[in-house]
């Protein structure tokens, strides 16, 4: 505390500055956090001995609050940076899983990515939040990750699958869930992967879920998955075309597929001219 900035010998180096700027007293308060000084709050007064004991006490408390606020802000910034790095790591894991599946099954190369793009566009058309949309997009990128447990000979078989082979293929949603369930994603990625072959009437697999038992992300991926699969070439058949795919999801709206998802999908392709990504 400098009561007179023009005469205090300890303030001699700044006497001229005080005279020039017109202040007469100075109060400097350290900003202390965990016994370390992180800054100083300095207050000037045009009056000599311009700070009363009550004012000093209040300003001292303000300096403590300010120090706490600065440290809290810095801590939050570090947490956000850490969260961003963690999210980048999780997304990198998803990309690696998707790339592994693409290399293993050349016939469906790009399938997961195209389903992810369609899912994201449908979710946007439905007005979902950006966070929900991103989670759905990531889940769609690896919705078939469970196929890594299925022999490649079955996945790439040029003809129709027999009953045993098809039963093995139908295990991939459960396999995918088992792979993902212990990864702490910010979104229900494992649940969406688990449920993307469920149908509203309970005719889907692996759990036979119905209606609201199925999460919205899985309902969106289900429509995008069927649409992309029918519109694209497969080892056992040529592409059936976009019109046939749209007719299929329209015919099963309310039984297999969520009507709101189907409506958004049809509007995208039939009214807005959206095309299956290449």
């Amino acid at each position: 505390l400098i009561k007179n900035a023009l005469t205090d010998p300890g303030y001699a180096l700044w006497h001229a500055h005080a005279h020039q700027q017109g202040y007469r007293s100075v109060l400097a308060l350290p900003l202390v956090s965990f016994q370390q000084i992180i800054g100083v709050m300095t207050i000037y007064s045009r009056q000599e001995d311009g700070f009363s004991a009550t004012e000093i006490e209040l300003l001292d408390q303000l300096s403590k609050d300010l120090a706490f606020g600065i440290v809290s802000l810095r801590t939050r910034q570090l947490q956000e940076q850490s969260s961003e790095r963690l999210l980048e790591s999780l997304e990198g894991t998803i990309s690696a899983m998707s790339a592994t599946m693409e290399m293993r099954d050349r016939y469906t190369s790009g399938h997961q990515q195209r389903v992810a793009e369609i899912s994201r566009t449908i979710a946007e058309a439905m007005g979902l939040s950006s966070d929900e949309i991103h989670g759905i997009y990531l889940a769609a990128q690896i919705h078939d990750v469970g196929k890594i447990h299925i022999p490649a000979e079955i996945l790439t078989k040029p003809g129709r699958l027999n009953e045993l082979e098809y039963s093995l293929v139908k295990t991939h949603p459960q396999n995918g869930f088992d792979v993902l369930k212990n990864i702490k994603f910010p979104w229900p990625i494992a649940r969406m992967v688990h449920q993307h072959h469920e149908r509203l009437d309970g005719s889907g697999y692996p759990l036979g879920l119905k209606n609201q038992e199925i999460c919205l992300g899985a309902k969106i991926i289900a429509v995008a998955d069927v649409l992309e699969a029918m519109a694209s070439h497969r080892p056992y058949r040529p592409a059936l075309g976009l019109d046939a795919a749209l007719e299929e999801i329209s015919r099963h709206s309310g039984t297999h597929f969520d009507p709101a998802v189907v409506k958004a999908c049809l509007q995208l392709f039939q009214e807005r001219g959206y095309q299956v990504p290449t």
Side-chain angles (χ1 to χ4, degrees):
L1 172 63
I2 304 298
K3 293 184 178 182
N4 190 328
L6 298 181
T7 61
D8 191 305
Y11 207 71
L13 291 176
W14 298 279
H15 284 175
H17 184 268
H19 179 74
Q20 181 182 10
Q21 298 298 323
Y23 63 87
R24 294 295 178 266
S25 55
V26 184
L27 177 66
L29 297 161
L31 306 181
V32 182
S33 175
F34 297 104
Q35 299 181 338
Q36 290 187 333
I37 296 177
I38 63 171
V40 177
M41 179 174 69
T42 305
I43 305 169
Y44 301 88
S45 173
R46 293 184 180 276
Q47 298 177 352
E48 183 178 334
D49 197 10
F51 303 97
S52 69
T54 301
E55 289 173 331
I56 293 174
E57 183 179 354
L58 289 172
L59 291 170
D60 183 54
Q61 183 60 50
L62 176 61
S63 71
K64 292 181 172 64
D65 294 340
L66 185 58
F68 177 80
I70 291 172
V71 171
S72 296
L73 180 60
R74 291 176 178 176
T75 301
R76 184 187 307 168
Q77 290 173 335
L78 290 173
Q79 289 174 338
E80 289 174 353
Q81 292 171 359
S82 178
S83 296
E84 288 175 2
R85 288 193 293 269
L86 176 59
L87 185 57
E88 290 174 358
S89 177
L90 290 173
E91 292 182 1
T93 299
I94 287 176
S95 296
M97 289 180 176
S98 180
T100 299
M101 288 303 302
E102 303 294 356
M103 289 188 293
R104 188 169 182 268
D105 181 5
R106 64 185 179 88
Y107 285 103
T108 56
S109 177
H111 166 69
Q112 291 188 121
Q113 186 58 44
R114 288 191 293 272
V115 170
E117 295 288 348
I118 296 170
S119 298
R120 176 166 61 186
T121 307
I122 292 174
E124 290 172 346
M126 294 178 68
L128 302 187
S129 70
S130 59
D131 186 63
E132 289 177 298
I133 292 169
H134 191 55
I136 292 168
Y137 174 76
L138 294 176
Q141 278 191 308
I142 51 172
H143 70 277
D144 280 341
V145 68
K147 287 183 177 178
I148 200 165
H149 292 291
I150 299 172
E153 294 78 8
I154 294 178
L155 296 177
T156 58
K157 183 177 179 179
R160 291 183 64 85
L161 301 179
N162 60 40
E163 185 176 345
L164 176 60
E165 291 167 336
Y166 184 53
S167 67
L168 285 174
V169 171
K170 289 173 67 176
T171 64
H172 80 271
Q174 182 65 53
N175 295 338
F177 177 75
D178 292 339
V179 169
L180 300 168
K181 63 183 180 182
N182 293 322
I183 302 177
K184 303 299 182 182
F185 292 110
W187 312 275
I189 300 288
R191 186 181 178 201
M192 286 187 274
V193 170
H194 201 194
Q195 297 179 359
H196 77 277
H197 274 291
E198 301 290 349
R199 299 295 181 254
L200 296 188
D201 59 4
S203 63
Y205 59 88
L207 303 174
L209 301 179
K210 295 182 179 181
N211 298 312
Q212 299 307 314
E213 295 175 332
I214 308 168
C215 66
L216 179 58
K219 292 175 180 177
I220 292 173
I221 295 172
V223 168
D225 190 29
V226 169
L227 182 74
E228 198 286 329
M230 291 186 66
S232 303
H233 176 76
R234 286 294 181 269
Y236 49 87
R237 58 146 176 84
L240 300 176
L242 179 59
D243 290 340
L246 293 175
E247 181 182 350
E248 173 72 10
I249 65 170
S250 180
R251 183 169 64 251
H252 292 291
S253 176
T255 53
H256 288 184
F257 308 117
D258 185 280
V261 177
V262 172
K263 180 181 178 181
C265 182
L266 294 177
Q267 287 177 338
L268 282 171
F269 283 92
Q270 295 177 342
E271 298 177 17
R272 303 186 191 178
Y274 183 73
Q275 297 293 317
V276 175
T278 58

